[in-house]
């Protein structure tokens, strides 16, 4: 049980699909990160307002913003990590201190369910386009599950600082 959801079995095959595609994609990490967050803002332009460094600075064009790229790649790498942990431990273990910080940060910046959904959609689309030759329904399900479990863990910590 995790946040009231029944956790589906996350198998070695699921883990392998995520790890395999991430290993291919990370060779083009920079381009991938760019595509990913541009996709997010294409679907949800208002999400730009959430990022403090975008609000404060108009001087750096969106597509050159290193912090956005870093955040996009963090989502990728942590989702991949989540897949590994899901298989090993049956849950998306992230170091507790990091989860707590992440929960507080996303809460503070006003990230809501819809944002997590847009980011999930953009994530899956970005992967589909990045690895068309190995993309499959199973691969999509594996990434989706790893992402959902990670997000559930973050959301549990989304509250004001104690
Ligand atoms: C900050 C990860 C989803 C918006 C951060 C930080 C991490 C992170 C590690 C650094 C802050 C800290 O540790 O205190 C993730 C992961 C996600 C996710 C792993 C999904 C699995 C989202 C979504 C949004 C979002 C859906 C909104 C569209 C932000 C914002 C910040 C942030 C606005 C603060 C940036 C700033 O300094 O202005 N995220 N994030 N994140 N994230 Fe996320």
């Amino acid at each position: 049980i995790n946040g009231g959801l029944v956790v589906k079995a996350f198998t070695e095959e699921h883990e392998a699909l995520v790890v395999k595609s991430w290993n291919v994609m990370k060779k083009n990490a920079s381009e991938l990160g760019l595509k990913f967050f541009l996709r997010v803002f294409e679907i949800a332009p208002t999400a730009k307002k959430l990022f403090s460094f975008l609000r404060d600075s108009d001087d750096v064009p969106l597509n050159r913003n290193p912090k956005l790229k870093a955040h996009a790649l963090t989502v990728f790498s942590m989702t991949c990590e989540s897949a590994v942990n899901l298989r090993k431990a049956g849950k998306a273990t992230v170091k507790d201190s990091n989860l707590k910080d992440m929960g507080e940060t996303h809460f503070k910046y006003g990230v809501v369910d819809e944002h997590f959904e847009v980011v999930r959609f953009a994530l899956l689309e970005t992967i589909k386009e990045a690895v068309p030759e190995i993309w499959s329904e199973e691969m999509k399900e594996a990434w989706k599950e790893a992402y959902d479990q990670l997000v559930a863990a973050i959301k549990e910590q989304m509250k004001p600082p104690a």
Side-chain angles (χ1 to χ4, degrees), residues 40-41 47 50-53 55 67 71 74-75 78-79 98 101-106 109 111-112 115-117 119 147 150-151 154:
V40 170
F41 293 147
L50 297 173
F51 290 87
S52 54
F53 46 82
R55 258 179 283 139
K67 288 186 181 175
H71 183 266
T74 300
V75 175
M78 290 192 72
T79 304
N98 295 352
D101 288 349
M102 278 199 302
E104 276 174 16
T105 302
H106 292 98
Y109 284 89
V111 179
V112 295
H115 296 124
F116 284 108
E117 280 163 28
V119 165
Y147 177 85
L150 173 59
V151 167
I154 296 172

Side-chain angles (χ1 to χ4, degrees), residues 7-108:
V7 178
K8 282 176 270 165
F10 197 86
T11 64
E12 254 170 70
E13 284 72 29
H14 291 124
E15 180 194 16
L17 287 168
V18 171
V19 172
K20 178 177 155 189
S21 47
W22 174 234
N23 281 336
V24 174
M25 289 186 284
K26 70 182 176 195
K27 291 176 200 137
N28 293 317
S30 183
E31 192 200 340
L32 186 79
L34 174 67
K35 272 192 156 176
F36 178 28
F37 74 73
L38 287 180
R39 178 62 65 87
V40 170
F41 293 147
E42 191 184 290
I43 308 169
T46 55
K48 281 178 217 158
K49 294 204 197 79
L50 297 173
F51 290 87
S52 54
F53 46 82
L54 292 185
R55 258 179 283 139
D56 305 340
S57 71
D58 296 326
D59 42 345
V60 186
L62 200 59
N63 62 1
R64 303 250 316 274
N65 193 302
K67 288 186 181 175
L68 278 180
K69 209 175 270 188
H71 183 266
L73 292 174
T74 300
V75 175
F76 259 103
S77 60
M78 290 192 72
T79 304
C80 183
E81 215 177 295
S82 159
V84 174
N85 292 329
L86 264 179
R87 203 267 308 154
K88 271 198 216 147
K91 56 179 187 149
T93 41
V94 177
K95 269 206 311 208
D96 278 354
S97 55
N98 295 352
L99 257 190
K100 197 168 170 292
D101 288 349
M102 278 199 302
E104 276 174 16
T105 302
H106 292 98
F107 178 84
K108 180 173 114 188

Side-chain angles (χ1 to χ4, degrees), residues 124-151:
L124 297 175
E125 287 290 298
T126 305
I127 301 166
K128 182 180 172 180
E129 283 170 20
V131 292
E133 59 296 321
I134 55 171
W135 176 253
S136 66
E137 249 338 276
E138 292 85 343
M139 184 176 280
K140 180 180 178 178
E141 277 306 309
W143 275 97
K144 182 178 173 296
E145 185 67 11
Y147 177 85
D148 284 348
Q149 295 295 329
L150 173 59
V151 167

